[in-house]
Each structure stands twice: as structure tokens, then as C-alpha cells.
Amino acid sequence: MTDDGRWFHPFGAADEGEFQVSITDALDGWEHTSLRVATLAPTRQVGLPAGDSEVIVVPLRGSLDVTAVDHAGERHEVRLAGRESPFAGPTDVAYVPRGASVAVRNAGAGPATVALCGAKARKLPAPLPLRYVAVADVPVELRGAGMASREVRNFGTPQVLDADSIIACEVITPAGNWSSYPPHKHDEERDGVETELEEIYYFEVRPEAAGVDPAGAPDPVGYHRVYGTNERPIDVLAEVRSGDVVLVPHGWHGPAMAPPGYDLYYLNVMAGPGATRAWLICDDPAHGWVRKSWTQQDVDRRLPFGGRG
């Protein structure tokens, strides 16, 4: 019996109010991270009240006006230029600390989609200031090689963004490739080796070929795998489409698979109870040898996707 029913949330299965996706600690077994996604008509807005979570505002498509009132009552306003789609390249983002309320408004003439990536902020004694991260300051990493090539945009990692607990990034996997591979885990605190982090995967999928008539490719799809140990079993094998979410409370996760014909995007949100904000992982020993094979292969020439709509 699989755990898909608990940890896999198809688009619309976890909605709340104006959010088409709402993953919070209201879910049984989920504690540290959150994700809310909303598509807004022009001039429409969504917001979150002040609370104990920090938030990274990520434009998935379109441009956004972000207004935050921090714990001291100071008002901050940021314009995010955004992008045409997650496949068009990286985006600028805004970091909103704990104790601040935030409102996000569609600043464009067409629909805009926003992701509010959150984490309980419990490590630092005081909130950090609001920060704008320009798209030029988002490192783009080409990870892996051959059919394991993928593009990682590190807008919310510890090396790029000062934060309390949240770690966030987004990954593009070209059609036919595998990412989140070799399978790895981060569910134990082992000093300098592994950190305990729960993780959210939010997916979008599109036909690979530019200009494909959607009627000719009506059902873009990808796949994602999560499995556990004898001591902590978990079993998820999800067929994912745009707007779907897979949660990883623990266990080995990967691969995320982009079938031939379909490019795969996912947004990752991580946080955990440990004192150190770090992404330290260990590979499944059965598959970790794959990393050595990359030294004999080139990175996929389709990467990076920057500028490709």
C-alpha cells in the first residue's frame, strides 16, 4: 500500500480561500514549512497576516507588487519584475521576515501566479530585515551531467539569502532527464554530514518543443519518487502535473523524472528543527556511485533555460 494519498496533493486538492495550493502545518505530520500558490487577475491581491513564519515571495509568472508591514510597524514596498513563466529563466524575489504581514498584488495586465514559500522562524532571536533579491543576484547552477543534467536557481539558499530557517530553490529538468538524483535524504541531524529538513516539491510541466499546440499535448506529465528505510518507511510514486505537490517528511527522494517531450519544473521549500540552517544530504548507498559517472559526460546543451519562454 502506497502513501500517495497522504503525501501527494494534486492541484486543487489542498486549496484554501484564494490559494489554489495551500500546504501548512494544518496537515497531519507537517510542521516546519508551508507553500501557498495563487493565480491573480490584474489588480487582484492575496495576503498573509503577521505570524511566526518567514516568507519568500516568488513570481511564477507575471509581475507583482509586494507590501509588508514588519514587527516594528514599518511599511515596505517592493516591485518584483517577475517573468513570463518558470521556464523563461530565474526571477527576482522578496524575503519577508517573521512578524510581518504581507500583501501581494498583480502588477501586470494579464494573470500572475505567486508562490509564498514559508518556514517557521525559530532559530534567530530577532527577525531579519526585509530583503529584495534581484534576478542578477540569483546564482544559476548546472548540476549533474548527461541525462542527469538539471538547472538549479538558488535564490533562497544559505549562500545567497540571509534567513532564519527557510531554504528554497527551483529546478528545471529538460525533457528526458532525471533530477533529484541519485536519491538522497536529509532527515537526521548528524554534525557536518546531514541536516533534518522536511521538503515541499511544487511542480509545473510543459511540452518541450516551443510553439506546440496545447491541443496536441493536452496532458504534460512527470514523475517523482520517495521511499524510506525499514525503520521509517514511506512509499510515494506520483504522476505529477502542473500545480501538483509532493511532500517529503523523511526518507530517500528522487528521481524526479521528465519524460521525453515534457520539461519539468519544481520549486523546493525546506526547513527543519536543527540549530543550523544548512542543506546537508546523504545519497542512497545503492545509487551514489552514479555521481562518479558524470565526470565522463557533458552537461546537457539545452541548459540553462534563461531567456527561453
Side-chain angles (χ1 to χ4, degrees), residues 54 95 98 121-128 162-165 275 277:
E54 57 192 349
Y95 170 80
R98 77 173 189 255
R122 299 165 173 162
K123 302 187 195 309
L124 300 178
L128 293 165
D162 288 335
D164 183 299
S165 297
R277 177 180 173 243

Side-chain angles (χ1 to χ4, degrees), residues 174-257:
N177 286 9
W178 287 22
S179 60
S180 280
Y181 196 76
H184 57 280
K185 74 179 185 73
H186 39 70
D187 59 12
E188 299 179 78
E189 285 293 327
R190 296 188 292 156
D191 189 30
V193 176
E194 184 179 356
T195 45
E196 182 181 352
L197 302 167
E198 65 182 21
E199 184 167 14
I200 299 171
Y201 278 74
Y202 167 86
F203 294 92
E204 296 206 7
V205 195
R206 71 159 192 185
E208 174 189 22
V212 168
D213 182 353
D219 193 28
V221 64
Y223 295 86
H224 189 62
R225 177 76 170 124
V226 185
Y227 59 98
T229 62
N230 291 333
E231 295 77 20
R232 302 181 73 188
I234 185 173
D235 183 10
V236 176
L237 178 56
E239 187 173 275
V240 296
R241 294 169 172 82
S242 291
D244 292 354
V245 171
V246 172
L247 302 180
V248 184
H250 59 84
W252 310 107
H253 44 288
M257 296 165 276

Side-chain angles (χ1 to χ4, degrees), residues 31-33 51-56 71 95-100 117-131 155-168 189 195-197 269-279:
E31 181 179 358
H32 302 285
T33 57
D52 60 356
S53 289
E54 57 192 349
V55 173
I56 302 177
H71 69 288
Y95 170 80
V96 180
R98 77 173 189 255
C117 309
K120 299 293 184 181
R122 299 165 173 162
K123 302 187 195 309
L124 300 178
L128 293 165
L130 184 140
R131 182 180 170 193
F155 61 80
T157 56
Q159 297 76 19
V160 176
L161 178 70
D162 288 335
D164 183 299
S165 297
I166 195 168
I167 299 173
E189 285 293 327
T195 45
E196 182 181 352
L197 302 167
V269 186
M270 293 172 275
T276 302
R277 177 180 173 243
W279 183 68

